[in-house]
Amino acid sequence: YVSPSTREEVYAVYYDALRRRIEDRGTQNFPELSGQKLYGELTMLLTVNSDGRMLAAEIVESSGNPALDRRALGIARAAGPFGRFSDGMRQRADQIVVVSRFRFTRDETLETRLTSR
């Protein structure tokens, strides 16, 4: 595990690609329950292995809506794999843990804000 800043070049490109994949997946598959769109915010920990596979996804701050939380977990898992770590990343870590804030907005998009841990 590593605690880099997303500003570090070795991680920044990977984090940006991961964020975009999750946002695209969430926007294309916007969460619904019984035909009603689900809106809200939640925070998740995502553990990614060096081969790009997501090893774990865990809600650390719920949206307050269990259905939205479950669908967000599904979106994050379905967005992977995220691609192999670069050589520079592999020199520093075998896995990364990313803290991700998911925001499902009224304009039916998913916005994410990633930090690392």
Side-chain angles (χ1 to χ4, degrees):
Y1 292 89
V2 70
S3 299
S5 165
T6 56
R7 291 183 184 92
E8 287 185 57
E9 187 175 329
V10 71
Y11 296 101
V13 172
Y14 192 86
Y15 285 154
D16 189 54
L18 184 143
R19 178 190 57 79
R20 280 185 279 117
R21 281 186 66 106
I22 293 172
E23 285 181 352
D24 289 349
R25 184 73 180 203
T27 298
Q28 292 169 6
N29 299 285
F30 201 83
E32 295 183 5
L33 180 64
S34 302
Q36 298 293 314
K37 303 287 184 188
L38 300 173
Y39 306 105
E41 294 185 36
L42 58 113
T43 302
M44 207 182 299
L45 287 181
L46 307 173
T47 304
V48 180
N49 198 32
S50 63
D51 63 3
R53 286 180 299 122
M54 185 177 303
L55 299 178
E58 173 188 357
I59 302 287
V60 293
E61 185 179 327
S62 173
S63 66
N65 182 333
L68 179 58
D69 292 352
R70 281 192 306 275
R71 282 168 177 74
L73 284 167
I75 287 167
R77 288 183 182 118
F82 300 104
R84 294 179 127 357
F85 288 6
S86 68
D87 289 342
M89 288 176 68
R90 284 280 300 146
Q91 289 174 3
R92 295 183 177 191
D94 292 326
Q95 299 174 350
I96 57 172
V97 177
V98 179
V99 179
S100 182
R101 182 78 177 160
F102 284 61
R103 185 169 168 246
F104 293 92
T105 68
R106 294 271 174 203
D107 59 356
E108 297 181 13
T109 61
L110 169 58
E111 298 172 358
T112 57
R113 186 174 64 232
L114 303 179
T115 57
S116 59
R117 184 176 161 165

